Amino acid sequence: MNATPPKIKRRPILWSCAAIVAVLLIVAAYIVFGPHPTDFASGKRVALAAYSAADPTGVPAELKSASQVERGEYLTRAADCVVCHTAKDGTPFAGGRAFVLPFGTIYSTNITPDTDTGIGSYSDTNFLDAMHKGIGRGNIKLYPAMPYASYTYMSDADALAIKAYLFTLKPLHAPAPQNTLSFPFNQRSLMSLWSAFFNPDRRYEPNVERSPEWNRGAYLAEAMAHCGECHTPRNLAFALNNRQKFAGAVQAGWRAYNITADHASGVGSWSDADLAHYLSVGHADGRGTAAGPMGEAVDESLSYLKASDVAAIVTYLRTVPGIATSDLPEPKQSTAPTLFADQAASSDAHGKAVYEGACAGCHGWTGVSPVIPFATLTGTRGVNDPTANNVAQVIIGGGQRHVGPDSNNMPAFGSTYTDAEIASVANYVTARFGVKGSDLTAAKVAKLRSEE
């Protein structure tokens, strides 16, 4: 006689599956529905039209009576448009700059008023859709390498002033190179889904419990200069993770450092004067000199801002909560010992030889430059970064800085030295002038070259 098979207890299994799904949904919601850029600040936010204090949008008081085109030129600088839309050694605004991503390469587009390859046929509505929604003319979905998730906070008036200025430029026929993205990232239609989750598509709302200067700084840092696009880590969907706001990230092969109020790994120990001078000039004594993408942002954007706007950004930055970056020690402020007490050389004698032949003349043996303050290494974040990421990048590509009439250039040694030699001298520099020596390898240097 056959035994009756036992009944399967399905209900506990179903409850377990439901619990797992619920947990996954909660985790997904935590990732997707993160805070907006200024949500860290307590206080009531209102629509711009309902804000009774000084308007935080537009241009500073000195330019209020300027024409729309003149205002647009200032705002184009504030939004840092030229850096991304200019290829290396290319014509400004003609596009073609490569952005190397983990899943391929994207090229910026031409934003001169050429009607074929540029934005010459864009209506005001087309332009606002691109800036706020990431939708180009013809309903083309834009990749968020164009920071429309930040520009979405820009007022319509400011966006259209930028358009007015761009339309005064000489039209240039310059088709963008073909993007080389892997599947599924090459499917533009997916950008609609990304935008639905990560682009709020709303304009800046002032915080009535913060000062007018704070609101102006927030508008400049978030809607215009889009600081978070480089300095804020990204989540699994490559959107900004504002729970780690301004805590630092790696972009285009460079490390954008922590700019929160943390004293050791951020800018909490910097004075207001330090921050203002760094933003305006790209250098602060005892803090370092901007290079790479930050150097470009200073040279082409921040250095053109009025002092009141720079001060407003500083005011805003001061309120961003401190977040510690575990692998970044507080920079060493003391100078290096004399050459005869060089302990760093014992760990990398070849790096010392390269430094002596190519670097010491400008940077000195103590870390204090005998030539120009821009070349001083003591106290800089880069030489105190145990990854030596940015040290290697500066050695590879040099440091071409142009602020106003002044020019300070460090030669590029990428074609002069091998990957192994660059790794060696970078390790020597961090060991001699920083808190902890790096262990950079030739393979890592080769990877950095490919990401530049």
Side-chain angles (χ1 to χ4, degrees), residues 60-81:
E62 300 97 308
L63 298 173
K64 288 294 185 183
S65 61
S67 68
Q68 184 188 39
V69 169
E70 290 171 321
R71 287 183 279 115
E73 182 177 13
Y74 183 87
L75 295 168
T76 299
R77 291 287 191 185
D80 202 16
C81 303

Side-chain angles (χ1 to χ4, degrees), residues 76-323:
T76 299
R77 291 287 191 185
D80 202 16
C81 303
V82 70
V83 168
C84 289
H85 288 278
T86 305
K88 187 176 181 180
D89 300 323
T91 303
F93 300 107
R97 179 159 185 162
F99 293 86
V100 181
L101 306 173
F103 40 84
T105 301
I106 291 177
Y107 294 90
S108 64
T109 56
N110 179 355
I111 56 171
T112 72
D114 179 66
T115 56
D116 184 21
T117 64
I119 61 171
S121 59
Y122 271 52
S123 66
D124 285 355
T125 299
N126 292 150
F127 195 80
L128 290 175
D129 282 347
M131 295 289 280
H132 293 155
K133 300 178 181 179
I135 301 174
R137 189 171 181 272
N139 202 35
I140 294 175
K141 305 301 186 292
L142 304 180
Y143 287 104
M146 153 64 171
Y148 56 82
S150 293
Y151 287 159
T152 193
Y153 297 103
M154 191 185 301
S155 71
D156 289 5
D158 286 355
L160 293 178
I162 289 174
K163 175 178 178 282
Y165 169 69
L166 293 177
F167 269 59
T168 67
L169 302 176
K170 179 182 178 181
L172 295 169
H173 185 84
Q178 189 69 35
N179 296 332
T180 58
L181 300 176
S182 58
F183 183 84
F185 301 100
N186 59 353
Q187 304 300 303
R188 281 186 180 269
S189 58
L190 294 177
M191 294 302 100
S192 294
L193 183 62
W194 189 94
S195 291
F197 283 122
F198 302 114
N199 180 20
D201 188 18
R202 73 186 196 195
R203 311 297 84 80
Y204 179 75
E205 297 172 326
N207 187 326
V208 297
E209 296 177 30
R210 298 281 177 161
S211 69
E213 186 177 43
W214 185 94
N215 278 289
R216 176 61 176 171
Y219 183 75
L220 288 167
E222 304 294 352
M224 305 300 294
H226 53 280
C227 305
E229 297 287 342
C230 285
H231 288 278
T232 297
R234 295 182 180 269
N235 62 26
L236 294 176
F238 295 96
L240 297 184
N241 175 14
N242 283 309
R243 291 185 178 88
Q244 295 289 311
K245 182 178 179 62
F246 291 175
V250 176
Q251 300 287 347
W254 289 78
R255 192 167 184 180
Y257 289 116
N258 185 333
I259 55 171
T260 72
D262 184 70
H263 275 252
S265 55
V267 295
S269 63
W270 293 38
S271 69
D272 287 357
D274 287 340
L275 281 169
H277 201 256
Y278 192 87
L279 292 173
S280 300
V281 180
H283 173 81
D285 289 341
R287 303 298 184 181
T289 300
M294 187 62 198
E296 292 177 317
V298 172
D299 290 354
E300 301 295 344
S301 174
L302 297 169
S303 63
Y304 287 86
L305 298 186
K306 299 295 185 183
S308 61
D309 276 351
V310 173
I313 293 175
V314 172
T315 295
Y316 176 68
L317 283 178
R318 286 299 194 200
T319 67
V320 177
I323 299 174

Side-chain angles (χ1 to χ4, degrees), residues 31 135 295 327 419 449:
I31 293 173
I135 301 174
D327 69 330
D419 294 341
R449 288 183 191 268

